[in-house]
Amino acid sequence: MSVLARDRLAQLAAEDGTTIRNLVEELARDTPTRAEYAARAEPARAELSSALGQAPSAEAEARARALLERLGGAQHGSQSAA
């Protein structure tokens, strides 16, 4: 691990009142794998198809994914600030 990465993790952990170890454990526990994302995507597509009467386009899915990623990053940042 680089010194910069370690120092950043130490700062994030201190801001959350935790340790680097706990921070990394939380990340591992709370971050879905690609397989878990894929498993969640199929029921979401089915629900959207049911509600909208058609499946979302690949472009709409990409825009929604980008929005969720931005919101996820913003949410994590706001949790640290709290």
Side-chain angles (χ1 to χ4, degrees), residues 12-19:
L12 291 168
E15 288 176 0
D16 280 353
T18 190
T19 64

Side-chain angles (χ1 to χ4, degrees), residues 28-43:
R29 181 188 67 239
D30 296 346
T31 303
T33 64
R34 288 182 182 154
E36 290 167 336
Y37 272 123
R40 293 175 186 178
E42 203 49 49

